[in-house]
Amino acid sequence: MAIQWFPGHMTSAKKKAAETMARIDVVIEVLDARVPEAGSNPMIRELRMHRQRPCLKVLNKTDLADPVATQAWIDYYNRQEGVHAVALSCKKAGDATKIPKLCLPLAPHRGTPLKPLRIMIMGIPNVGKSTLMNTLLKRRAVAVGDEPAITKNQQSFDLSDSIILIDTPGLMWPKIEYESDGLMLAASHSIGRNAIIDEEVAAFLGDLLLARYPNLLLARYKFPLEGLDGYALIEAIAKLRGYRIRGKDFDLEKAAMTLLQDYRTGALGRISLETPATRTEMLRTTTPVQEQTAEDQSDSD
């Protein structure tokens, strides 16, 4: 299932971000630490590279992510030119207050009342941008919710007399290149539910967890995992919890949501859906969605 999700307001958001990029000094890209590269918007990289703006990559939700995988991503990003990476939880004031200090060395010519440091906070939906903004400002300045694409408009705030913060709407890109990226983002709740089929996303997540985190599944659900795939895992959860539709067939949709919610909330434990190593292997062995489509069309001609 190829997932694509690009709500109409994101077209104007991209245009506004491109205009603002000319006037800022540093980009903060907030990433979900569980899916940092799958959720790194290529348009953000293109916009900042065009203007040669340095980037602080903030791997948020580290309390939900596998700490070994998170450290591997920090090392990976810190090897990139013009990039500094940090792992933290945007909900924690102590973590968030470190961010302005980390931005200052990226633009050493700014950061005074005469030349304030102008920081633009970017990222895909539901990664914690608004939470970070509110934590930094110590007030509820922007709306926060559990659904993607809460923020619709760009907003500017004075953090101090020497630092200006610009909050941007969550920005997806028009075509997700790899099917697994779309599924990982959907599992992590960065894509609206109107663009996905929960059972298919949960089955993908189940297959991945069976391969990489079987002990966490066993600890949570306490049933044998031998011979299960993602769909069979969903059915086993339905049986375990007694989920039925009008007392007859198993309610697989409800069981799928249980698996997704247990992952999203951390009830399963600390999980990362990708690492630099698995990312490299995926890129080596997987054909992009656009190329698959072109090949399918060629075969049918």
Side-chain angles (χ1 to χ4, degrees):
M1 176 181 65
I3 295 175
Q4 304 295 343
W5 186 60
F6 194 71
H9 74 273
M10 290 187 185
T11 300
S12 59
K14 179 192 174 185
K15 181 178 179 182
K16 183 66 175 177
E19 294 171 353
T20 306
M21 190 71 69
R23 304 191 299 274
I24 61 100
D25 307 298
V26 174
V27 172
I28 291 178
E29 184 179 11
V30 183
L31 302 167
D32 185 327
R34 299 168 297 179
V35 286
E37 195 63 12
S40 183
N41 187 337
M43 291 197 306
I44 294 176
R45 184 179 186 278
E46 291 169 8
L47 290 173
R48 70 175 184 81
M49 293 296 287
H50 177 68
R51 292 290 181 178
Q52 298 183 320
R53 298 299 188 253
C55 180
L56 177 68
K57 288 185 181 281
V58 174
L59 275 66
N60 187 31
K61 305 186 181 182
T62 53
D63 54 323
L64 301 176
D66 184 329
V68 175
T70 298
Q71 186 56 56
W73 282 116
I74 293 296
D75 296 340
Y76 172 85
Y77 287 126
N78 280 334
R79 290 193 293 269
Q80 297 179 2
E81 185 177 356
V83 173
H84 182 68
V86 61
L88 49 77
S89 172
C90 289
K91 294 180 180 179
K92 297 179 180 179
D95 281 1
T97 54
K98 301 173 186 176
I99 290 178
K101 297 176 183 177
L102 293 171
C103 289
L104 286 168
L106 298 176
H109 58 295
R110 311 290 301 192
T112 67
L114 289 178
K115 291 185 176 181
L117 178 68
R118 300 159 299 183
I119 301 170
M120 184 154 66
I121 300 177
M122 306 184 76
I124 66 172
N126 214 23
V127 291
K129 299 181 305 303
S130 296
T131 298
L132 173 60
M133 180 69 75
N134 290 339
T135 305
L136 286 170
L137 295 172
K138 300 179 182 178
R139 59 189 174 91
R140 190 181 175 87
V142 293
V144 177
D146 190 42
E147 290 299 320
I150 294 292
T151 302
K152 296 290 194 298
N153 300 300
Q154 197 175 101
Q155 302 177 78
S156 180
F157 303 92
D158 292 334
L159 181 61
S160 67
D161 62 357
S162 58
I163 297 178
I164 298 170
L165 298 177
I166 300 168
D167 184 39
T168 62
L171 190 63
M172 291 297 294
W173 55 108
K175 291 184 179 180
I176 298 174
E177 193 171 6
Y178 294 97
E179 183 176 355
S180 60
D181 284 353
L183 289 163
M184 284 191 285
L185 294 177
S188 302
H189 207 25
S190 287
I191 290 178
R193 288 191 66 191
N194 61 323
I196 68 173
I197 300 172
D198 290 325
E199 192 175 333
E200 293 188 16
V201 174
F204 167 84
L205 176 65
D207 283 332
L208 192 152
L209 297 178
L210 285 164
R212 299 184 195 167
Y213 296 96
N215 291 341
L216 296 183
L217 289 174
L218 190 60
R220 178 66 176 172
Y221 301 122
K222 297 179 175 61
F223 52 66
L225 303 177
E226 291 78 8
L228 297 185
D229 63 7
Y231 283 102
L233 176 65
I234 293 170
E235 185 173 352
I237 293 172
K239 292 178 180 177
L240 175 71
R241 299 291 175 87
Y243 295 155
R244 289 185 179 274
I245 302 172
R246 297 177 183 174
K248 296 182 180 180
D249 295 333
F250 287 111
D251 191 338
L252 299 182
E253 183 177 355
K254 188 173 182 180
M257 282 307 303
T258 292
L259 178 61
L260 290 171
Q261 286 300 104
D262 283 352
Y263 159 67
R264 291 168 180 171
T265 62
L268 277 170
R270 299 180 68 176
I271 291 168
S272 292
L273 300 189
E274 62 173 354
T275 68
T278 63
R279 184 78 187 175
T280 299
E281 180 64 13
M282 185 277 289
L283 294 175
R284 186 182 70 82
T285 59
T286 306
T287 302
V289 172
Q290 292 94 323
E291 291 182 19
Q292 289 176 356
T293 303
E295 289 171 4
D296 291 343
Q297 290 174 345
S298 177
D299 290 342
S300 63
D301 290 343

